[in-house]
Amino acid sequence: MSYPVVPTDPGVTRQILAENPQLMVVAFRFDAGAEGKLHAHPHVQATYVESGHFTFTVDGEVHELGPGDSLVIPSNTRHGCICAKAGKLIDTFTPRRDDFL
């Protein structure tokens, strides 16, 4: 199945890569300077940096991530990121983010 590319925040797009009720894989593409605004959700999230450089804030703690880096964000934890160098994140959510469908 093919899913559309959807604009989210300014300079950010999202595309579902695969999903079922238990798991969802999503690609996020960021322009340099774009921001994933601080937010929280009940899903556990694993983020993998395919390309680019990002500053993540997770529950007030700052993480500098580049290609090949990853982190896990527990459910209901406030988090967001700023993209310093244009790039792509591969995020996995469990359970599926029904609000993305």
Side-chain angles (χ1 to χ4, degrees), residues 57-76:
T57 302
V58 180
D59 200 22
E61 188 175 334
V62 176
H63 305 270
E64 298 293 334
L65 301 179
D69 291 336
S70 61
L71 58 81
V72 173
I73 302 166
S75 66
N76 298 311

Side-chain angles (χ1 to χ4, degrees), residues 39-58:
H39 66 285
H41 45 73
H43 314 83
V44 174
Q45 175 180 340
T47 297
Y48 171 78
V49 180
E50 182 176 297
S51 62
H53 290 277
F54 296 84
T55 300
F56 274 84
T57 302
V58 180

Side-chain angles (χ1 to χ4, degrees), residues 61 78 80 92:
E61 188 175 334
R78 194 160 169 79
T92 304

